[in-house]
Amino acid sequence: MSRNVFLPAILITLLNIQRASAQNPTDSITIDSIVRSLPEVMVKGERPLAVVHGSAITYDLLRIIEKKGVDNVFDAIKELPGITEKDGKYQLANRSVSIALNGKVMSLTSDQIAQLLKSMPASRLEKADVMYSAPAKSQVRGALINIRLRKGELSQVPFQGEFNVAYNQKHHAMFGERASILYHNGKFTFDAMYLHSHGRVFKVTDEDSRHSLNNGAIHEIKDKQTQLVKQFGHDYRISTEYEFAKNHNLSLSYLANYSNRDIYGNYTGDIIGRTFSTRRTWLHNVKLDYQAPFGLKAGIETTYYHDPEKQDLQSVTPTVNLNFLVDNDQRVNVWRYYLSQEHQLKNNWNLNYGVWYKQSINHSLQFYQHQSGTSYIRQREDIANVYVGLGKNWNNKFILDASLAAEYYHSPQWHQWNIYPTLNLTYIHNPSNIWVLSFSTDRTYPEYWTMNNFTVYSNGGYDEITGNPYLKPAKSYQTNIIWVLKNKYHLVAGFNYLDDYFIQMPYQRPDCLATVFKYVNLNYQQQVFMQAVIPHKFGSWLDSRLTLTGVWMHEKCDDFYDIPFNRAIIYGMAQMSNVITLSTKPDLSLTVDGMIRSKAHQAIFDLLGSGNLDLGLRWQFWKKQAVLHVFCNDLFETSSINPRIDFKGQYMNMDFSCYREVGISLIVKFGGYKVKKNDDINTSRFRK
């Protein structure tokens, strides 16, 4: 099991913002129910940045990535204003964000969401609805990005598709082959996608620890950890849809993922040893949806996830020798049902209400061979949610969207009712001066694996990764104000407060030579932040964007072992993104993106500054049916964030390897490729 010692919540990677084209207010694209009931307001003027649908800011995402050389949906989302990404997880306004496809919220973990989005071609994209506080009818809480995939009129060619091959080289090479097809005949649509990814990943970690024990002994431990991962995976999705009439359809989808990883680890220095692990991960998801033309929606979804791991570790530390075989296993079964209804009322009022229920059963097992006993946990969770929402438009000046959800949560640890209010208020001073005020509450539950009582060893046995059955869920409160000014400037200010915020942190045990990595609850984390996106175009050859972010963060924990902390810091980031049009015939463009981030910290970690410079060359040819993209990311190998701890007797330095990445990608389309909508999934708390 890999260590996850940082949360991306503090790593605010600044955004790439590409110009968005003007959009007709009478857009023929069908707007999903999340924003359909809210009247839209066009931000008019030269190169307008956004269209506002009530509390949602809609971006022309396909136009944003037009010359960026982006070939998958995952990378395209990172180009949206306000969106940051670290370790495969998106953030909006300094907090986690959910993803929906055509209004259907995904039920995957962040890793599985990333894998699905990376397997989807960017040519499927149409628009992106960004909501800082999603209404209750979206059936998620907090920030939400709804990706609208291309629909509309299909060409007369019933069979259409796209092929993509890619090669990425860091220390080792990774390869990918992707195919997407669509068959459309009358009211019936068949959509399929397949991705084969394979290659190797190499990592090096240099760790320097000064470990003090109760008996007065001080151990200086310096070691180097190298890890080679040989992996391949298969991702595929099949969906069918039958449209009885407009806004009246039945859809069925099946999504699956298989991942095969062989992980080789070697330790040198004061810790000597090796480890070999195998992981064979399966995910299956089936979803059935029905939509009626009078605003009724119903659906059922089931997910099966299985992640078995075998680890063979042999090592020698300064105080102990380890030699063991261990099996770690997790199986999760999830069932989800929902029913919702929407009404358009008089005087520009709208009403929505609904109910959804989710049951999940987690089976976790750990077995050390040649030792007696097996640790086994069976955890069942039941969540029942009922909600109601109201919306009102006052002459396209004020747009209100308010909702209230009541939710009952039942598990072996918790039995409780929670109330979640959400409020969004949009004020249109004039078409080029729009304000959106949002407020929302949420509760975040730990991943299943973090709540067990198992121990997994890393770094030759010196690091002990343990669960915490007493971990409490975190409660959060968010307020944001967004200002879209003069058609192109994007300004955001906000305040986030997380009570019982949990994070995985290391602690050097005073009774033995071991470092425990364990999720613990803090008293709270609070953030005040400001962000500005400033685009500017120089003629027809250069399109630039400057993004500035400043954050004040305060974290307090009175019960962190014997070393409570109360720390605050101000940090910032700046990013410059440039698209240079080299030629229109042939269609050649160059991207130059750079970022720099100041020193930050999280809990007792100090995080050194970092930065990167990325280059890309894009060539579109063959009547725009083919795109070749050549790139070099992290040109100077400076993007790695290396943590330090020097706090109340705890001392640890970690340096992570950082390699320049070069690659090439080729996309070829056939049959006038336009794609019908895709589904989604949710498995938010599975073991990673």
Side-chain angles (χ1 to χ4, degrees):
M1 180 188 299
S2 62
R3 290 178 301 177
N4 178 19
V5 295
F6 318 110
L7 294 180
I10 60 99
L11 305 175
I12 305 178
T13 311
L14 289 180
L15 353 140
N16 297 327
I17 300 172
Q18 185 65 292
R19 50 194 172 140
S21 63
Q23 178 176 336
N24 193 327
T26 59
D27 191 351
S28 62
I29 300 295
T30 301
I31 301 172
D32 181 79
S33 64
I34 289 180
V35 294
R36 181 186 297 125
S37 60
L38 300 175
E40 65 180 39
V41 178
M42 182 65 180
V43 184
K44 297 181 180 179
E46 181 183 1
R47 295 296 183 188
L49 182 65
V51 176
V52 178
H53 300 93
S55 58
I57 303 175
T58 300
Y59 297 94
D60 190 344
L61 186 52
L62 192 62
R63 181 65 179 270
I64 288 176
I65 65 172
E66 182 181 13
K67 295 186 177 182
K68 292 290 292 186
V70 173
D71 61 11
N72 63 75
V73 174
F74 178 84
D75 290 335
I77 292 175
K78 293 188 292 184
E79 302 296 326
L80 287 169
I83 301 303
T84 64
E85 179 266 336
K86 179 65 177 181
D87 296 331
K89 299 177 183 179
Y90 296 115
Q91 288 192 322
L92 178 66
N94 272 17
R95 54 195 170 106
S96 60
V97 58
S98 300
I99 302 293
L101 296 180
N102 288 327
K104 300 175 183 178
V105 178
M106 312 196 59
S107 57
L108 295 168
T109 67
S110 58
D111 288 344
Q112 293 159 354
I113 289 173
Q115 186 65 23
L116 174 62
L117 297 177
K118 289 176 181 178
S119 68
M120 297 176 59
S123 58
R124 296 187 177 207
L125 293 169
E126 183 68 33
K127 304 291 170 59
D129 306 310
V130 176
M131 284 162 274
Y132 286 77
S133 296
K137 64 181 176 180
S138 65
Q139 300 185 11
V140 296
R141 292 183 293 273
L144 174 67
I145 303 172
N146 177 43
I147 299 299
R148 287 196 262 155
L149 303 170
R150 297 184 64 183
K151 301 192 294 185
E153 293 296 326
L154 295 169
S155 70
Q156 298 302 315
V157 180
F159 186 77
Q160 308 153 30
E162 173 180 311
F163 293 114
N164 171 242
V165 292
Y167 157 78
N168 292 30
Q169 176 77 48
K170 283 192 175 180
H171 192 281
H172 285 68
M174 287 291 297
F175 304 88
E177 300 85 35
R178 183 182 67 213
S180 301
I181 61 171
L182 171 69
Y183 175 78
H184 178 78
N185 188 1
K187 298 180 179 180
F188 176 76
T189 300
F190 174 82
D191 190 8
M193 176 275 297
Y194 170 74
L195 169 67
H196 176 222
S197 56
H198 52 101
R200 300 184 179 189
V201 176
F202 182 76
K203 300 178 181 179
V204 177
T205 302
D206 290 307
E207 187 168 319
D208 179 6
S209 299
R210 183 183 304 126
H211 198 136
S212 301
L213 300 178
N214 287 333
N215 60 13
I218 298 178
H219 293 268
E220 297 281 351
I221 301 177
K222 296 183 179 181
D223 67 289
K224 179 187 291 288
Q225 310 163 38
T226 61
Q227 185 183 84
L228 175 65
V229 183
K230 298 179 181 179
Q231 63 186 51
F232 67 87
H234 304 276
D235 296 82
Y236 47 93
R237 180 186 179 278
I238 301 172
S239 70
T240 61
E241 180 176 325
Y242 187 79
E243 188 172 6
F244 302 95
K246 184 177 181 181
N247 295 326
H248 189 197
N249 59 63
L250 182 69
S251 63
L252 175 67
S253 67
Y254 168 64
L255 171 69
N257 167 267
Y258 173 70
S259 174
N260 184 309
R261 283 173 287 174
D262 292 331
I263 306 168
Y264 302 84
N266 286 285
Y267 311 100
T268 58
D270 293 314
I271 298 174
I272 301 174
R274 66 166 186 83
T275 183
F276 173 68
S277 302
T278 62
R279 296 183 70 172
R280 310 288 186 260
T281 306
W282 268 107
L283 170 74
H284 299 274
N285 178 272
V286 180
K287 189 170 186 179
L288 179 67
D289 286 285
Y290 172 73
Q291 176 179 327
F294 50 86
L296 175 70
K297 290 186 177 182
I300 181 173
E301 177 185 13
T302 181
T303 302
Y304 171 78
Y305 176 78
H306 188 204
D307 182 14
E309 177 189 29
K310 294 182 180 293
Q311 183 186 35
D312 178 3
L313 185 145
Q314 300 176 20
S315 67
V316 178
T317 74
T319 59
V320 68
N321 296 349
L322 294 175
N323 186 353
F324 60 77
L325 297 172
V326 60
D327 292 334
N328 300 305
D329 196 0
Q330 183 184 60
R331 286 186 297 112
V332 181
N333 300 87
V334 181
W335 289 87
R336 186 175 185 272
Y337 314 86
Y338 78 90
L339 182 67
S340 65
Q341 179 69 54
E342 298 183 32
H343 300 281
Q344 296 296 324
L345 307 177
K346 295 181 180 180
N347 300 320
N348 287 329
W349 282 94
N350 62 81
L351 172 69
N352 62 86
Y353 50 88
V355 60
W356 59 268
Y357 168 75
K358 186 174 82 168
Q359 179 190 91
S360 60
I361 300 177
N362 166 48
H363 306 266
S364 295
L365 177 147
Q366 185 174 71
F367 171 65
Y368 279 89
Q369 299 184 25
H370 311 303
Q371 298 182 22
S372 60
T374 298
S375 299
Y376 175 77
I377 292 179
R378 184 181 186 272
Q379 298 166 306
R380 171 174 168 171
E381 290 185 350
D382 296 274
I383 303 176
N385 182 290
V386 59
Y387 66 87
V388 62
L390 281 172
K392 167 68 173 177
N393 180 289
W394 288 274
N395 299 319
N396 282 342
K397 272 292 185 182
F398 290 95
I399 301 175
L400 172 69
D401 180 18
S403 60
L404 184 69
E407 183 175 285
Y408 176 69
Y409 183 91
H410 174 83
S411 74
Q413 292 87 2
W414 308 294
H415 316 274
Q416 55 191 9
W417 280 94
N418 295 296
I419 302 297
Y420 300 104
T422 302
L423 175 66
N424 290 282
L425 181 62
T426 303
Y427 170 61
I428 302 98
H429 182 263
N430 58 56
S432 63
N433 191 345
I434 297 178
W435 298 74
V436 180
L437 175 67
S438 67
F439 170 80
S440 65
T441 62
D442 196 5
R443 185 175 291 261
T444 304
Y445 294 91
E447 295 180 0
Y448 299 117
W449 191 263
T450 66
M451 295 184 295
N452 61 42
N453 56 1
F454 303 160
T455 298
V456 177
Y457 294 95
S458 180
N459 190 18
Y462 176 63
D463 296 341
E464 301 176 352
I465 305 167
T466 65
N468 183 358
Y470 304 103
L471 199 62
K472 295 184 290 186
K475 302 180 289 292
S476 60
Y477 309 87
Q478 303 90 25
T479 301
N480 300 289
I481 185 165
I482 305 99
W483 186 17
V484 180
L485 177 65
K486 294 184 178 180
N487 310 323
K488 56 183 178 179
Y489 302 111
H490 187 94
L491 306 174
V492 182
F495 174 74
N496 299 332
Y497 183 88
L498 288 85
D499 195 21
D500 290 326
Y501 172 64
F502 54 83
I503 179 177
Q504 188 188 58
M505 288 299 300
Y507 175 74
Q508 294 171 328
R509 294 175 55 177
D511 58 331
C512 67
L513 197 63
T515 297
V516 177
F517 285 83
K518 182 178 180 179
Y519 276 91
V520 296
N521 289 108
L522 311 187
N523 292 34
Y524 59 81
Q525 180 197 78
Q526 55 185 349
Q527 297 179 345
V528 177
F529 70 93
M530 298 187 67
Q531 186 176 78
V533 179
I534 307 170
H536 188 73
K537 186 173 182 180
F538 300 87
S540 60
W541 65 277
L542 176 60
D543 191 2
S544 298
R545 285 126 12 236
L546 174 64
T547 306
L548 303 173
T549 300
V551 180
W552 172 81
M553 183 175 70
H554 180 206
E555 294 177 321
K556 181 179 180 180
C557 184
D558 293 329
D559 190 26
F560 185 66
Y561 300 97
D562 56 344
I563 51 170
F565 60 86
N566 187 351
R567 310 182 74 196
I569 193 173
I570 296 175
Y571 63 95
M573 298 183 68
Q575 180 176 0
M576 191 71 178
S577 179
N578 303 278
V579 178
I580 304 170
T581 301
L582 302 177
S583 171
T584 56
K585 293 184 180 180
D587 189 347
L588 288 172
S589 59
L590 174 69
T591 58
V592 181
D593 300 332
M595 181 274 294
I596 186 170
R597 182 188 61 82
S598 68
K599 176 183 176 181
H601 65 57
Q602 184 163 16
I604 63 173
F605 269 118
D606 292 317
L607 306 176
L608 303 183
S610 65
N612 64 275
L613 179 65
D614 302 335
L615 305 175
L617 180 65
R618 171 189 169 276
W619 175 32
Q620 185 170 252
F621 59 101
W622 196 30
K623 297 182 179 179
K624 296 187 177 182
Q625 293 296 101
V627 177
L628 181 68
H629 180 221
V630 181
F631 63 89
C632 176
N633 293 334
D634 198 9
L635 181 63
F636 300 113
E637 300 181 338
T638 54
S639 63
S640 179
I641 300 174
N642 298 314
R644 304 284 187 263
I645 295 178
D646 188 359
F647 185 80
K648 295 183 178 180
Q650 299 282 308
Y651 183 87
M652 178 187 299
N653 292 335
M654 285 184 284
D655 292 311
F656 299 120
S657 58
C658 186
Y659 301 110
R660 183 181 303 109
E661 180 183 22
V662 296
I664 184 170
S665 170
L666 175 65
I667 298 174
V668 179
K669 306 174 187 179
F670 63 89
Y673 184 56
K674 294 183 181 179
V675 180
K676 201 70 173 176
K677 69 179 180 181
N678 258 315
D679 273 23
D680 45 46
I681 311 185
N682 177 347
T683 56
S684 59
R685 295 157 54 210
F686 298 169
R687 182 170 71 107
K688 297 178 176 61

